[in-house]
Amino acid sequence: MRFVVIILVLLASLKVWTQDRMYRSVVGQALVDAYRERAIEVCRKQTAKTVPVASAQTVSELWSAASAAEVTLGDSDVNVAIWDTQNPLWQQRFRNPHLVLTGTGESNAHCAYDLHAGVATLSP
């Protein structure tokens, strides 16, 4: 009887895990499709502000539709401790969803677009 119960628990756990993975995959792809163009536009503007010598051609090549994109929860580049809940940046670090674009070509630059606030942060 224990064996049957253990098998049922394992099957139930597998079902919950599979549903969670499928949900996260579908929602992540929907967010990427919905916000990719806006994120590219904001990342280009932010790059042009921070790197004034960059040419328009370089900026448009760095952030394009060919850039790899993924949705993450929080921005790991923001330096806030998890227990510091009174910090005004805590939401940005641990709660807000971000669309992270990876630069095309030889560049390893990342641009994290905050879907909630509508701002982008660049990291080399």
Side-chain angles (χ1 to χ4, degrees):
M1 187 64 165
R2 277 189 202 164
F3 182 70
V4 172
V5 171
I6 291 172
I7 294 295
L8 289 175
V9 168
L10 289 175
L11 288 173
S13 299
L14 179 66
K15 176 186 181 260
V16 169
W17 180 80
T18 304
Q19 285 179 333
D20 181 62
R21 296 304 305 165
M22 281 199 327
Y23 173 78
R24 288 178 186 265
S25 145
V26 169
V27 169
Q29 189 58 44
L31 286 172
V32 167
D33 292 343
Y35 288 99
R36 180 189 288 267
E37 293 302 320
R38 177 69 181 141
I40 289 172
E41 177 184 332
V42 173
C43 288
R44 284 180 181 169
K45 287 180 182 177
Q46 188 68 25
T47 303
K49 285 180 188 175
T50 57
V51 186
V53 294
S55 67
Q57 179 71 18
T58 306
V59 171
S60 65
E61 287 176 0
L62 183 61
W63 310 116
S64 65
S67 300
E70 67 175 333
V71 176
T72 61
L73 191 59
D75 185 6
S76 59
D77 292 334
V78 177
N79 190 15
V80 176
I82 194 166
W83 55 83
D84 190 10
T85 58
Q86 300 303 315
N87 191 319
L89 296 175
W90 193 91
Q91 299 280 343
Q92 182 180 0
R93 169 62 178 97
F94 293 104
R95 185 171 180 263
N96 295 349
H98 285 75
L99 180 63
V100 179
L101 298 174
T102 304
T104 58
E106 296 178 11
S107 173
N108 289 330
H110 295 312
C111 179
Y113 175 70
D114 188 340
L115 299 179
H116 183 68
V119 296
T121 55
L122 300 173
S123 45

